[in-house]
Amino acid sequence: MALFTDKTVLVTGSAAGIGRATALGFAAQGANVVVSDIDQPGGEETVAMIHKADGTAMFQRADVSNVDDVAALVASAVDQYGGLDCAVNNAGIEGTIAPFTDQTEANYDAIMRVNTKGAFLCMQAEIRHMLAAGGGAIVNVSSVAGLIGFPGLSPYVASKHAIAGLTRNAALEYAKAAIRVNAVCPGGIDTRMLDSLAEQATSGAQTSQQMMDPLHPIGRIGTAVEVANLIIWLCSGQASFMVGAIIPVDGGFVAQ
């Protein structure tokens, strides 16, 4: 039997990359999937891919940094499918690579608004519903940059460390209410975000794989599906004792 039959799952930032792979994976396990992103064409494409595979999904555009958008997003999930069992807060941006003293206030604010405030607002709305419903599971997508530093990416690093902190606090506050909150910390993953960082870091001289493969002990970057598999497991009943965990999925990167 599929792991998420008759369950409803919300995935933010699911127009591409890890979010899309996660949405597709949940749908394959029987979930009703609420796909959300600011990229409407990409989000609708994710929904079309789920429908093509005989899955169930809907799209709702939402800016996770806007409290009204977030409230409407969670309300739509509940109205359409009758509840919200799991949520994956994945929406995020990387911003600009620059030395600490050259980082602009605008870049800092944009990253913190989407990555940290977005996760905070989504968790608030999701937890409020899960409290009324009697429980649920939330997975936040942090990063290895939420565990260690990366020169040139100070606002991004700060935002992802903050997500780890929010995850731990929410997990402690709501564990007894049967709401499990955990986070995953991807390393180099074959996504558009990693391509953007490689372009900035090498001025196009190297691809993301050329730049990042040698940095991972496993000898390669990861795939979005490899991250999605962990997220899906954390939301399942198989991970019933996982609470407040911040888990690297990084080919050994932070073990070095």
Side-chain angles (χ1 to χ4, degrees):
M1 182 176 176
L3 289 173
F4 293 92
T5 301
D6 298 326
K7 302 292 186 182
T8 298
V9 181
L10 165 64
V11 185
T12 68
S14 45
I18 292 169
R20 171 175 284 178
T22 301
L24 292 171
F26 272 115
Q29 288 293 334
N32 306 313
V33 182
V34 180
V35 173
S36 184
D37 207 293
I38 59 169
D39 175 4
Q40 184 161 343
E44 290 176 345
E45 184 178 28
T46 300
V47 170
M49 293 168 72
I50 291 172
H51 289 166
K52 186 176 181 180
D54 296 324
T56 302
M58 61 169 278
F59 173 76
Q60 177 149 333
R61 187 187 185 281
D63 174 355
V64 295
S65 70
N66 182 294
V67 68
D68 293 330
D69 277 15
V70 170
L73 174 61
V74 173
S76 289
V78 174
D79 290 345
Q80 180 74 17
Y81 297 121
L84 179 65
D85 300 285
C86 307
V88 180
N89 299 313
N90 167 72
I93 60 174
E94 74 278 10
T96 302
I97 296 176
F100 194 100
T101 53
D102 293 339
Q103 288 283 352
T104 66
E105 182 179 5
N107 186 56
Y108 178 89
D109 286 346
I111 291 170
M112 297 300 287
R113 184 175 65 249
V114 176
N115 296 4
T116 306
K117 181 183 177 183
F120 173 75
L121 293 177
C122 286
M123 289 169 68
Q124 281 192 320
E126 293 152 4
I127 289 170
R128 285 174 185 138
H129 174 77
M130 290 176 181
L131 282 170
I138 295 172
V139 175
N140 297 316
V141 179
S142 180
S143 166
V144 290
L147 300 171
I148 59 176
F150 282 85
L153 288 172
S154 49
Y156 181 78
V157 168
S159 75
K160 292 298 186 176
H161 273 71
I163 288 172
L166 290 171
T167 297
R168 290 188 177 101
N169 242 61
L172 293 175
E173 291 184 36
Y174 297 104
K176 287 185 173 61
I179 299 172
R180 296 186 303 103
V181 186
N182 295 286
V184 298
C185 297
I189 306 297
D190 187 13
T191 61
R192 292 187 305 206
M193 181 180 288
L194 191 65
D195 290 340
S196 170
L197 290 170
E199 172 67 29
Q200 290 187 63
T202 70
S203 299
Q206 289 185 307
T207 66
S208 55
Q209 285 185 299
Q210 290 170 331
M211 182 179 75
M212 296 297 293
D213 279 356
L215 302 181
H216 293 74
I218 201 171
R220 63 171 176 85
I221 58 175
T223 68
V225 170
E226 289 174 310
V227 181
N229 288 340
L230 175 58
I231 293 170
I232 292 165
W233 179 78
L234 283 170
C235 284
S236 77
Q238 296 178 351
S240 55
F241 203 53
M242 299 294 292
V243 176
I246 314 295
I247 308 173
V249 51
D250 66 351
F253 187 92
V254 298
Q256 300 177 98

